[in-house]
Amino acid sequence: MNKNKLKELVNVLNELSDDVKDWGVDMGSVDKPLCGTPGCHAGLISIVAKDLPELQDIYNDCRVHNKSYEYDAWADTLADFLGFNDMHDLNDWADSYPKIWGNEHGVAMFDLAKAFTDDESKQLTHRDIINHWKQVLVNLEA
């Protein structure tokens, strides 16, 4: 995990408007989040790419198809940005370091809400994901 890149990501995530932070998240969605529509963890990364040009560049380099939005490519983009080969390596890292990730479900960070919250009855929001990444950074620095 590249701690400096994680700091960059957390800083940009933190600068999102409260409105965007409070959007609901549908971890099963593979569609681009637009104007309050639910997206997944990878969708949140696509939102902040405008503020982290390196993310957009990585995404443009790793896209397999010519579509404008690809869930898997955004997940791989985040992984690459943080110093991993792909989303599977990032998932494996979170699974191998549950104390840093914050729970035993990091391997499912692109699939299941429980990777970010223990309250499965709660509607997951971008804010939950952002706060989780903030805590990962705190844990990594400890």
Side-chain angles (χ1 to χ4, degrees):
M1 172 70 71
N2 183 322
K3 189 170 31 174
N4 291 329
K5 292 296 184 180
L6 180 56
K7 283 180 188 178
E8 283 183 57
L9 176 66
V10 165
N11 287 336
V12 170
L13 289 170
N14 205 41
E15 293 299 316
L16 288 170
S17 70
D18 285 336
D19 181 50
V20 173
K21 287 179 182 177
D22 291 332
W23 285 2
V25 174
D26 176 0
M27 291 299 280
S29 173
V30 295
D31 297 322
K32 181 177 183 175
L34 299 168
C35 261
T37 62
C40 62
H41 179 202
L44 174 60
I45 303 311
S46 74
I47 291 170
V48 297
K50 67 181 178 13
D51 298 316
L52 277 173
E54 186 178 345
L55 274 176
Q56 188 67 56
D57 291 344
I58 294 168
Y59 176 75
N60 291 341
D61 288 345
C62 78
R63 285 191 323 177
V64 177
H65 306 291
N66 290 325
K67 296 187 311 185
S68 62
Y69 178 86
E70 295 176 36
Y71 150 82
D72 287 348
W74 279 114
D76 284 341
T77 294
L78 174 62
D80 186 325
F81 183 77
L82 295 176
F84 298 92
N85 290 324
D86 58 26
M87 71 173 146
H88 303 294
D89 285 349
L90 176 55
N91 288 340
D92 289 345
W93 173 86
D95 190 44
S96 296
Y97 297 97
K99 288 185 179 181
I100 295 172
W101 178 253
N103 62 46
E104 301 285 329
H105 307 289
V107 70
M109 74 172 74
F110 294 105
D111 302 311
L112 300 174
K114 69 182 179 179
F116 298 99
T117 181
D118 291 332
D119 185 357
E120 293 185 42
S121 66
K122 179 186 181 301
Q123 168 62 57
L124 187 69
T125 65
H126 286 152
R127 188 178 303 278
D128 295 317
I129 295 172
I130 293 165
N131 288 339
H132 193 91
W133 277 114
K134 285 182 188 178
Q135 188 60 50
V136 169
L137 180 57
V138 168
N139 295 346
L140 195 59
E141 291 179 324

